[in-house]
Amino acid sequence: MSDRYPLKHLAAPFAGLLGGWLASLIHLPLPWMTGSLLAVILVRCSGWLITELPGGRRVGQWLVASAIGLHFTAPVLEQVLGHLWLILLGSLGTCLLSVLGIAILRRNGVDRATAFFSSMPGGASEMVVFALRHGADPARVAAAHSLRLLLVVLTIPAIFIWTLPANAPPTLVQPDWGWLLILMPLGLLAALIWRRLGQPNPWMLGPLLCCAAASAIFDLNIALPAAGSAIGQWLIGSALGCHFDRKFFRSAPAFLLRVLLFAVTAMLAAAAGAWLLGRFTEMEVAGLTLGLMPGGITELSLTAEALHLSVALVTALQVARLLLVMFFAEPVFRLWQRRAPELDASQ
């Protein structure tokens, strides 16, 4: 089928829409994301390699990021800034967990660059770019990050939503269409500028920072309509599913198994770290756990929203870790290369 044939691009969102609807009927956590993700994976594993809707994931990130950013009201931002030390400490701790992943992969013969960038808790696309610069295997790096994201999306929301009681729901916040008609285009512009500047995750961080800044400065108390968040989840889930097929799950099974082992270990370590921080700070352990999980900003912030936890705290922890990885991963890797160069001649 030609790539120009519209059905090839419309099939994935249609399958995702059907999957999201079925997931909502059986009350799966984050149904429009997990349902659409699983539906598209199922279709692709059946042999029909449908492709994602061009720009669909970006639109989904724009919608979800805007909704998350509106949680950053002035009192919430003040609380986040008051715990800035904790956010930096927690983010640094989860970054240091990558040492365990590097050790697991290196002991099993994976080259240094591939092991390093496969284990970093950063964005998949950015890590693949770094991998190409340093001679790593970009396919394995992409596979490692895709598998970790799949694990987080399919397990963490379910574990939290099915096992933890939700906090009392906050007062219902209504959309303010006057503000939304201003902020949504501004968020889109921020994403384009962020991308132009070569910054990480522009379609998530651009709208998020734009809406968060406006919400805090003008002390807004508004929200995106529930349908907007659901559409965003559907588009993101449908696009994520297009990264998986039978070939993916069959490729380098030993490598993927070790990545899975590291991801599960890192998730357990993050939960333990959150429990310790909660004991010393008297902050909600569930929110800290979501913030420290080696997953994506979108999925974990949406889980916090579903449980009526501090979305701002979870998002701040995730963003801080992403920025730490983006700005320090390459310098740390170069330092490691200088301190322990590969002895190819002796191998």
Side-chain angles (χ1 to χ4, degrees):
M1 185 182 292
S2 171
D3 286 345
R4 297 179 181 179
Y5 192 59
L7 181 61
K8 188 165 186 177
H9 295 308
L10 294 177
F14 180 78
L17 185 64
L18 179 60
W21 175 68
L22 292 174
S24 68
L25 292 181
I26 61 175
H27 305 292
L28 275 184
L30 302 182
W32 293 102
M33 177 174 289
T34 55
S36 58
L37 171 66
L38 289 172
V40 172
I41 291 176
L42 182 63
V43 171
R44 285 178 60 85
C45 286
S46 72
W48 186 15
L49 298 181
I50 54 178
T51 58
E52 64 181 280
L53 181 68
R57 185 177 182 183
R58 293 175 178 178
V59 173
Q61 288 180 308
W62 167 54
L63 290 171
V64 169
S66 300
I68 293 171
L70 292 173
H71 283 274
F72 283 79
T73 59
V76 169
L77 183 61
E78 183 179 352
Q79 182 187 26
V80 169
L81 293 176
H83 294 94
L84 189 59
W85 68 271
L86 182 147
I87 291 170
L88 293 176
L89 178 64
S91 302
L92 181 60
T94 51
C95 288
L96 292 176
L97 282 175
S98 60
V99 174
L100 176 61
I102 295 169
I104 291 173
L105 294 178
R106 287 288 289 155
R107 288 191 63 180
N108 290 276
V110 179
D111 66 272
R112 183 179 299 160
T114 301
F116 184 89
F117 292 109
S118 294
S119 304
M120 287 292 109
S125 57
E126 291 84 10
M127 291 303 105
V128 169
V129 171
F130 290 168
L132 288 168
R133 289 179 189 167
H134 296 279
D137 184 338
R140 286 197 170 192
V141 172
H145 286 280
S146 297
L147 183 62
R148 189 182 71 230
L149 181 59
L150 180 66
L151 179 67
V152 169
V153 171
L154 295 182
T155 59
I156 297 303
I159 291 171
F160 274 74
I161 293 174
W162 282 340
T163 60
L164 295 180
N167 292 337
T171 305
L172 185 64
V173 180
Q174 298 294 335
D176 184 321
W177 290 105
W179 273 107
L180 290 177
L181 288 173
I182 295 172
L183 292 178
M184 297 303 289
L186 283 178
L188 182 60
L189 179 62
L192 294 172
I193 293 173
W194 199 255
R195 185 181 68 168
R196 180 77 175 179
L197 295 174
Q199 297 305 306
N201 210 347
W203 296 96
M204 191 72 196
L205 294 183
L208 191 155
L209 294 175
C210 176
C211 290
S215 183
I217 292 171
F218 298 104
D219 197 17
L220 303 179
N221 190 29
I222 63 175
L224 205 65
S229 181
I231 292 171
Q233 292 181 50
W234 159 54
L235 291 171
I236 292 171
S238 301
L240 286 176
C242 292
H243 292 276
F244 302 94
D245 53 27
R246 282 181 290 184
K247 182 180 178 182
F248 172 86
F249 293 109
R250 290 173 178 171
S251 64
F255 173 79
L256 293 179
L257 184 61
R258 292 179 185 107
V259 169
L260 185 64
L261 171 64
F262 163 60
V264 172
T265 304
M267 289 161 64
L268 293 174
W275 181 80
L276 286 174
L277 286 175
R279 290 289 300 271
F280 286 108
T281 63
E282 297 184 354
M283 296 188 67
E284 56 184 24
V285 175
L288 288 171
T289 304
L290 288 175
L292 296 180
M293 279 291 155
I297 301 170
T298 307
E299 301 77 29
L300 298 173
S301 297
L302 286 170
T303 303
E305 188 176 46
L307 287 168
H308 311 301
L309 300 172
S310 176
V311 178
L313 175 64
V314 173
T315 305
L317 282 161
Q318 292 287 329
V319 170
R321 187 186 68 231
L322 175 65
L323 294 178
L324 279 174
V325 171
M326 292 307 305
F327 292 116
F328 291 102
E330 279 197 295
V332 169
F333 181 73
R334 292 192 185 104
L335 179 63
W336 185 26
Q337 288 284 67
R338 287 198 298 268
R339 292 289 179 89
E342 291 283 356
L343 302 177
D344 294 329
S346 63
Q347 294 180 355

